[in-house]
Amino acid sequence: MFLLGAVTLCCVVVAGTLALYEPVFGQAPERRVADNSRPVDAAAPAAVRVVGAPFVPNVNPRQR
């Protein structure tokens, strides 16, 4: 119980300190993930070369 209280108190102190300094630093600017205006063509997948035998799941455990 003492350890839980100590960790909680430390987290509250860190969060409170960061909340007090937020007006000084300001909020972080919003990052845009896609700056390109080009559309992504997801309907045309690239051709893949398969090496070896294709995977066939064994649905009958007694059969090898």
Side-chain angles (χ1 to χ4, degrees), residues 40-64:
V40 177
D41 188 15
V48 178
R49 187 176 138 200
V50 178
V51 178
F55 175 75
V56 178
N58 184 9
V59 292
N60 187 359
R62 292 183 182 193
Q63 179 186 5
R64 287 206 171 203

Side-chain angles (χ1 to χ4, degrees), residues 14-64:
V14 169
T17 304
L18 291 176
L20 288 175
Y21 284 124
E22 184 178 4
V24 175
F25 295 127
Q27 291 189 354
E30 240 182 75
R31 288 182 54 192
R32 294 182 60 184
V33 176
D35 287 334
N36 302 3
S37 60
R38 294 183 297 144
V40 177
D41 188 15
V48 178
R49 187 176 138 200
V50 178
V51 178
F55 175 75
V56 178
N58 184 9
V59 292
N60 187 359
R62 292 183 182 193
Q63 179 186 5
R64 287 206 171 203

